[in-house]
Amino acid sequence: MAKQAKTDRQAVIDSIRSQQSRRENRRGMAIVGVCVLVAVLIVGAAAFKPIKDWYDLRAYASDSLSDIGAKASACEKVTTKPAEGNQDHVEVGTPMSYPDAPPAFGTHWNMWDTIDRKLYTASDRPDLGELVHNLEHGYTILWYDETVADDPEQMDDLRGIASKLDSTTNLRDKFKAVPWTSEDGKAFPKGQHVAFTHWSIGGVGETDPSKQVGVWQYCSEVSGAALDTFMEDYPYMDSSEPAVL
């Protein structure tokens, strides 16, 4: 009788252990399933934006630069002012601030951004001191404010513009589109949300440093037509170091 009771207790214990084991297995599979789902969502989210950007750019495939965005009439007249700071370099990391919003010239870092990247967001944009050095080398910079950054259609237009100026070897494509934030300085003029800047040596072939000027054009919207004209009027050759990428 005692032996039978012992056997029955062992059977109960084995049954309990078996049930616990099944529950733990189910719980383990559930955890694995959740982990796999999270991983899939993360990978999917990471892949979604590049795929969407590629898909959106197809709409611009047959457009010229001047076809993208608003008409040139969305922009004000070009303005200039005497420039200074040519070859005035400071060490990388030196805090830089500029009186103009945005800058078109001035003292700058002794490093510039490469031609490889054309469009930036607030999270990865080069420092102002670096970008002003790009201006010294003949780049045209399109600066956009938070209004544009928060507008999906205008950001698509910027991606379309960047795709038309995407060469990393053609010096005519010395172009960058970068955000201008409240941390950088004062706001653009009222109603204006985009600005083109160029550091002109005073005209292609000019050698007199006193002829250098900063050039600005403000726009209420992104305009490829206005940018196209601006870059024709102030090409990369109109700079103190045009051959530098």
Side-chain angles (χ1 to χ4, degrees), residues 24-184:
E24 289 174 359
N25 287 339
R26 286 196 297 270
R27 187 161 52 247
M29 291 300 294
I31 292 172
V32 170
V34 170
C35 290
V36 170
L37 177 60
V38 171
V40 169
L41 291 174
I42 291 173
V43 172
F48 175 76
K49 190 176 186 306
I51 292 173
K52 182 182 182 299
D53 289 348
W54 168 83
Y55 184 83
D56 291 342
L57 281 176
R58 297 195 314 166
Y60 301 98
S62 61
D63 292 340
S64 65
L65 176 59
S66 60
D67 292 327
I68 299 174
K71 294 181 180 180
S73 57
C75 301
E76 297 182 339
K77 291 183 178 180
V78 170
T79 60
T80 65
K81 64 188 291 187
E84 57 186 23
N86 184 236
Q87 296 297 314
D88 188 2
H89 301 153
V90 295
E91 291 299 318
V92 171
T94 302
M96 306 299 301
S97 62
Y98 297 93
D100 299 301
F105 59 84
T107 302
H108 47 277
W109 287 5
N110 57 14
M111 176 182 76
W112 62 95
D113 191 40
T114 68
I115 196 174
D116 300 331
R117 179 87 177 268
K118 303 305 175 96
L119 175 60
Y120 289 88
T121 65
S123 65
D124 57 15
R125 191 205 71 186
D127 190 273
L128 292 180
E130 191 173 348
L131 290 169
V132 172
H133 201 155
N134 281 88
L135 287 167
E136 185 184 47
H137 290 173
Y139 282 76
T140 289
I141 296 182
L142 181 158
W143 309 79
Y144 62 93
D145 70 5
E146 286 94 338
T147 297
V148 173
D150 293 336
D151 185 333
E153 291 186 7
Q154 291 203 72
M155 290 305 297
D156 281 345
D157 287 340
L158 284 182
R159 280 186 280 273
I161 287 172
S163 74
K164 301 301 177 182
L165 300 167
D166 66 347
S167 176
T168 59
T169 56
N170 186 346
L171 298 179
R172 296 180 186 278
D173 286 359
K174 280 187 166 186
F175 166 81
K176 292 187 180 294
V178 302
W180 177 260
T181 71
S182 57
E183 296 180 358
D184 295 319

